[in-house]
Amino acid sequence: MPIHEKSLIRPENLKTHDKLVLDGVDVSGHWSTFIEPRVVTDYNEKLEDEIAALPGGENIHRCWQCGACTNSCTVNAVNPDFNPRYWIYLIRTGMESELLRDKDIIWQCVSCHKCTYACPRDVLPEGVMKATAHWLELKGHTPKSKSMIFDEEFTEQVFETGKIEEGRVIRRFFAKTGQPLLQDWLLEMVKRVARRLPFKQGLLMGLATLFRPRTRGWAGARAAITEYVEEQQGRQRKALRLEETR
Ligand code: SF4
Ligand code: SF4
């Protein structure tokens, strides 16, 4: 399916002649506009399978290109270059190099799920956007996003203790992303919570920060979860052929 949307034609592919007369007719300037043809040879025939192997991308094959996701998209309303329908088209046709041209805006999806409700084919375009952003990170095309670093920190704690201690998650997330711990919004939030929190609960939270309680009998659950996650990550690495490029 060729790309017909004018907004998707790259400006560098639009050519005009400053001075051109054809059969006596002056077609200088925008009257002589033409689109330079492109020849794409570096298809990644596995691209759709690679995205489908990541969480959220499973239903990408169901897309019939109606455009309802893009029309309803919150981010597209402020940035027309953010176009889920178009990226799904590029993925399904294996046009990896074309997709990579937009690698720095795909992460901008705000997970509002308007597209999820608009899609008549249950593609879950929000999931596809997440899977694509994840794919870009795994393939080394973009650096690890802050949300990915947060997720990893959160998961690491669950694996370790079977519990979450929010203070520790935030401290470690800030440290890993080079952010100062003393931020105005955080201090204000802590002040407000402290003002309303019952003394006993505050004391328990303070103790949890110091002693890091664990869920009783967690070792068995941890082993099962770790085995499952490693199995899934191995499957994803294989689908993305990451071992081959190591
Ligand atoms: S979830 Fe993402 S892709 Fe879907 S409408 Fe919202 S911003 Fe757009
Ligand atoms: S709304 Fe669904 S079927 Fe339509 S283009 Fe978007 S993902 Fe594809």
Side-chain angles (χ1 to χ4, degrees), residues 1-216:
M1 188 192 303
I3 299 170
H4 291 303
E5 289 169 55
K6 194 176 169 196
S7 63
L8 297 177
I9 299 166
R10 307 281 175 184
E12 63 270 26
N13 290 342
L14 284 172
K15 305 288 175 198
T16 55
H17 289 274
D18 290 340
K19 271 270 167 243
L20 185 66
V21 177
L22 290 176
D23 294 334
V25 180
D26 185 353
V27 290
S28 305
H30 70 270
W31 292 108
S32 62
T33 302
F34 71 97
I35 305 165
E36 205 169 61
R38 293 176 311 157
V39 179
V40 180
T41 53
D42 55 346
Y43 290 100
N44 174 0
E45 290 174 14
K46 297 271 184 214
L47 188 55
E48 182 179 1
D49 294 341
E50 291 180 8
I51 299 293
L54 296 172
E58 298 89 346
N59 289 350
I60 189 170
H61 65 283
R62 296 175 60 94
C63 177
W64 61 16
Q65 289 290 297
C66 68
C69 50
T70 297
N71 281 341
S72 62
C73 178
T74 307
V75 179
N76 177 267
V78 288
N79 177 9
D81 289 340
F82 188 95
N83 191 334
R85 183 210 61 75
Y86 175 55
W87 293 327
I88 290 172
Y89 161 74
L90 294 179
I91 293 165
R92 297 206 62 207
T93 48
M95 292 210 253
E96 181 171 324
S97 53
E98 200 68 15
L99 181 74
L100 290 180
R101 298 179 77 151
D102 290 333
K103 67 184 170 69
D104 295 325
I105 56 171
I106 292 172
W107 64 269
Q108 290 176 352
C109 170
V110 293
S111 291
C112 64
H113 281 285
K114 283 187 185 172
C115 55
T116 304
Y117 293 105
C119 177
R121 294 279 295 160
D122 284 340
V123 172
L124 304 180
E126 187 269 352
V128 177
M129 291 304 98
K130 283 283 175 298
T132 308
H134 193 187
W135 177 88
L136 287 165
E137 288 175 18
L138 288 171
K139 288 273 185 171
H141 296 304
T142 53
K144 208 178 267 186
S145 66
K146 285 185 179 164
S147 76
M148 177 61 76
I149 294 171
F150 185 89
D151 287 351
E152 284 179 356
E153 182 53 42
F154 189 96
T155 315
E156 207 177 295
Q157 276 200 43
V158 175
F159 281 11
E160 232 178 280
T161 62
K163 285 184 189 243
I164 281 297
E165 200 283 291
E166 289 91 346
R168 187 178 160 85
V169 175
I170 290 176
R171 272 198 323 274
R172 293 185 56 138
F173 169 66
F174 281 177
K176 284 183 179 172
T177 51
Q179 299 183 64
L181 185 57
L182 300 178
Q183 300 194 31
D184 290 348
W185 67 269
L186 186 60
L187 291 172
E188 187 57 33
M189 190 181 81
V190 171
K191 259 192 257 167
R192 288 187 194 194
V193 170
R195 245 182 262 143
R196 288 169 179 76
L197 202 66
F199 176 74
K200 192 178 166 197
Q201 207 172 337
L203 186 68
L204 288 173
M205 281 174 72
L207 288 173
T209 308
L210 287 176
F211 298 109
R212 304 191 59 209
R214 287 164 187 264
T215 300
R216 214 171 290 154

